[in-house]
Amino acid sequence: MNISLILNIALNLIRARMKQSAIAAIGVTFGIAMFIALVSFMNGLNNLLDGLMLNRTPHVRMYNEIKPSAQQPITLSDNYTKSNNFISSIKPKDRGKEIYNSKSIIAVLKKDPRIVDVAPKVTAPVFFNSGTIEITGVVNGIDVPAEEHLFSVSSYIIDGNVFDLASVPNTIIIGKGLSEKMLVKIGDVIQITTLRGGLVSLKIVGISQIGIAEVDNTMSYTSLETAQMILGESAGYITDIQVKLTNVALAPAAAKEYRSRFSIDAIDAQTANSQFETGSKVRSIISYAVGITLLIVAGFGIYNILNMMIYEKMDSIAILKATGFSGSDVKWIFISLSLIIGITGGLFGLLVGFILTKIIGVIPFETASLPTIKTYPVDYKLAYYLIGISFAVFTTTIAGLLPARKASRIDPVEIIRGK
Amino acid sequence: MTLRNVLETKKINKYFFDPVKFQVLSDITFSVKQGEFVSVVGKSGCGKSTLLYILSTMDTDFEGELFINGEPLTNNSDKDLARIRNEYIGFVFQFHYLLNEYNVLKNVMIPGIKLAKYSYEEIEHRAMEHLRTLDMHSQALKSPNQLSGGQKQRVAIARALINDPLIVMGDEPTGNLDKKNSDMVFDIFNAIVQEKKQTMLIVTHDADFAQRTHRIIEMADGKIISETNTLHRRSAPTDITT
Ligand SMILES: Nc1ncnc2c1ncn2[C@@H]1O[C@H](COP(=O)(O)OP(=O)(O)OP(=O)(O)O)[C@@H](O)[C@H]1O
Ligand SMILES: [Mg+2]
């Protein structure tokens, strides 16, 4: 097979039908451009939202949950193994929320090669006192450097410095909603009551804003030591161990492993954020579906123009066959014709798609809940472009195949006799 | 020197089934030697074109045997047949069938590029030479649709000759030409036969044209009814001796 001759004939057929070929190619361009723009934008959004949740939640969180005893006395009896048991006389035992042995667990975790870092945390429900009213809230005692490393807390401290928590004792950072409710600002001192009735005064060194009103209205941060002091607990008191893995996909397996290894509750990010996962998936599916639909439409365009060309070029096909082109040569002429249209259209589509994403990327997108985001998020990834061009090649090959087979079966005798 | 058979048929039969079964060709047996100039004549509808399509390997739906250059052509693949047409057979039809996407020169060159026996430059040169013998070299860069009918037919002849085929088949190649152009085509064919020992098998309605060939095969109702050797009427060309 003489490839350059076949390509040359295909190109000349296109040139003779420039307008229709261009229209068919524009169809592909449009499909690919929309696909690139959609996928990049949707995935930008996904990453943003994932980031919103995933970067702020640990891949695995270990804690102690108050729960009923798994083994009720009656289930221990052999007599009733086949019976339905509804007697649960043993009530949950309050072991407190403290994680026992937290030090050695952390030491073991830090050696695990899958783990990026470990951040211990103390959470405790408290009341913030403002005048005569009490506002319910939560104190998060954090290990500032570790927390910063894992979740970059500083990115949502809108006022003040998170490291002051560690360096200055008896300090607190409160959520923006809280500060507005209590009319307090940096430098002010607020009073906190614990559930057990203890009263502590803390100095505000910062205001945080995560962007979720519910959180900003209740959340506050202190250092681990301050939190332990507020609760009147000893220095080893930890309620949560947060872990970040090298790959979030490992989280479910890791959580399962830790659960049995440390006999502790452990939840992975996927389970904790399952509703976000679903959203991300739906967005991806939509963008692929739209892209594929547009490409199928473009494929029909190519199919049409090829059929038209073959109909018009019956004589040419007949003479090519009469002078020594085989059926498969003719087939390849039309497949390459289709591919030339598809690849040209596809490459332009990538370019237009890239420009579109650039335009989307500069459109202002400001929202109070996302202080660090100024424009619409776009995810630039080579993979989308590779997928796009493969789509184009695939659909145009398929679209070209049927007409090309038809052309290859044209009987030159019929055409020549017909004259 | 005995000349070999370039083309040979044995008992070729062909039927059409649409609308009713009907035998177009019956027991066609003949052979053509290298360097012969043969014409096929007969009434309209007697099966000349049908025979030519079979001989040219484009129609494989027949009974009987066909040999080209001594090779039997049975059960050859589409690719093999295409290759045989490309290398050994040149066609001239009543209608020219030039590709309007290409200029005259490129039209002549395409079967040569397909065969790829010579380099592109060599093929171009040879195409130009063929156009020159047909007095078409000044039109080489024109598009086919800028040519007159006779000029197109001459380009089609140049295209048929580009691969130096063993045999040139023509289906009324002069049917659309005036006397002057028709004579010119005859002279070109004759010269090729004389000089290059190529073979001609030409279907024609032009009695004058037929009379000047070496042998006339006459057909009627799908049968060969007579073969007339006309060489004895003229002084035989010096190189056609047996
Ligand atoms: N596809 C076909 N189906 C049925 N009959 C056909 C078909 N093609 C040709 N015929 C018939 O076969 C016979 C031979 O046709 P052919 O074209 O070979 O004649 P011809 O000798 O070339 O005539 P002309 O000199 O007019 O060109 C005719 O009677 C024609 O009607
Ligand atoms: Mg005919």
Side-chain angles (χ1 to χ4, degrees), chain A residues 417, chain B residues 43-50 53 94 171-172 203 205:
Chain A
R417 197 200 296 282
Chain B
K43 282 208 192 72
S44 175
C46 69
K48 305 181 297 291
S49 296
T50 307
Y53 299 140
Q94 187 173 1
D171 194 353
E172 302 177 35
V203 170
H205 280 292

Side-chain angles (χ1 to χ4, degrees), chain A residues 60-357:
Chain A
V60 180
R61 184 170 78 91
M62 279 162 267
Y63 58 101
N64 258 334
E65 187 145 63
I66 295 170
K67 56 182 175 207
S69 170
Q71 299 273 326
Q72 292 291 340
I74 200 149
T75 60
L76 298 175
S77 162
D78 291 340
N79 294 341
Y80 303 105
T81 46
K82 290 203 174 96
S83 311
N84 190 15
N85 163 39
F86 51 85
I87 301 171
S88 49
S89 53
I90 306 287
K91 294 296 174 211
K93 188 171 69 177
D94 184 12
R95 295 172 293 152
K97 295 186 103 187
E98 176 173 8
I99 296 174
Y100 303 107
N101 246 343
S102 60
K103 265 220 175 82
S104 52
I105 293 177
I106 291 173
V108 170
L109 290 177
K110 283 206 165 160
K111 284 192 198 114
D112 192 326
R114 289 170 298 177
I115 286 178
V116 176
D117 206 352
V118 184
K121 193 161 101 171
V122 174
T123 53
V126 292
F127 297 108
F128 296 98
N129 302 330
S130 171
T132 54
I133 56 158
E134 291 185 324
I135 299 171
T136 54
V138 179
V139 161
N140 288 297
I142 56 173
D143 177 352
V144 179
E147 198 81 5
E148 174 67 16
H149 181 207
L150 290 196
F151 311 115
S152 54
V153 262
S154 59
S155 67
Y156 26 94
I157 306 299
I158 55 169
D159 207 358
N161 185 344
V162 71
F163 288 98
D164 288 347
L165 285 181
S167 51
V168 188
N170 296 342
T171 49
I172 189 167
I173 290 176
I174 61 171
K176 190 165 182 251
L178 265 181
S179 77
E180 280 166 359
K181 275 192 204 169
M182 296 193 292
L183 282 173
V184 289
K185 56 182 189 305
I186 288 186
D188 291 348
V189 172
I190 57 165
Q191 291 199 310
I192 287 174
T193 319
T194 65
L195 289 188
R196 292 189 187 149
L199 188 69
V200 207
S201 296
L202 298 175
K203 187 177 163 200
I204 298 172
V205 292
I207 307 289
S208 70
Q209 185 185 32
I210 279 184
I212 302 167
E214 216 168 296
V215 175
D216 291 332
N217 284 343
T218 55
M219 196 59 76
S220 70
Y221 296 97
T222 67
S223 66
L224 267 182
E225 296 74 22
T226 310
Q228 287 156 353
M229 182 273 291
I230 296 170
L231 295 173
E233 295 283 357
S234 65
Y237 182 86
I238 296 292
T239 61
D240 293 78
I241 297 173
Q242 312 171 95
V243 164
K244 194 160 211 172
L245 302 168
T246 49
N247 182 356
V248 67
L250 301 170
K256 196 173 166 198
E257 184 189 324
Y258 300 148
R259 216 172 290 143
S260 61
R261 188 159 169 201
F262 305 124
S263 45
I264 198 171
D265 291 308
I267 187 165
D268 54 89
Q270 283 85 338
T271 312
N273 297 316
S274 48
Q275 74 276 29
F276 280 89
E277 284 283 298
T278 322
S280 301
K281 263 198 199 116
V282 168
R283 275 186 292 274
S284 292
I285 290 171
I286 289 175
S287 37
Y288 280 88
V290 171
I292 290 172
T293 311
L294 290 173
L295 278 176
I296 289 174
V297 174
F300 276 107
I302 291 182
Y303 175 83
N304 264 342
I305 185 175
L306 251 69
N307 266 333
M308 197 184 72
M309 271 187 190
I310 288 165
Y311 187 76
E312 275 184 5
K313 296 295 165 195
M314 288 280 197
D315 289 359
S316 303
I317 294 166
I319 195 62
L320 285 175
K321 283 194 157 182
T323 56
F325 285 73
S326 66
S328 91
D329 291 330
V330 171
K331 186 169 78 192
W332 279 106
I333 289 174
F334 284 91
I335 289 180
S336 31
L337 202 156
S338 174
L339 276 176
I340 292 169
I341 294 177
I343 292 175
T344 318
L347 287 177
F348 272 106
L350 295 186
L351 184 70
V352 175
F354 181 71
I355 294 170
L356 276 179
T357 55

Side-chain angles (χ1 to χ4, degrees), chain A residues 413-414 417, chain B residues 14-20 22-25 40-53 94 171-172 203-205 219 222:
Chain A
V413 172
E414 245 169 67
R417 197 200 296 282
Chain B
K14 181 170 174 73
Y15 303 86
F16 281 123
F17 297 93
D18 190 35
V20 287
F22 146 66
Q23 183 161 14
V24 220
L25 298 174
V40 180
V41 299
K43 282 208 192 72
S44 175
C46 69
K48 305 181 297 291
S49 296
T50 307
L51 176 62
L52 211 57
Y53 299 140
Q94 187 173 1
D171 194 353
E172 302 177 35
V203 170
T204 183
H205 280 292
M219 286 178 67

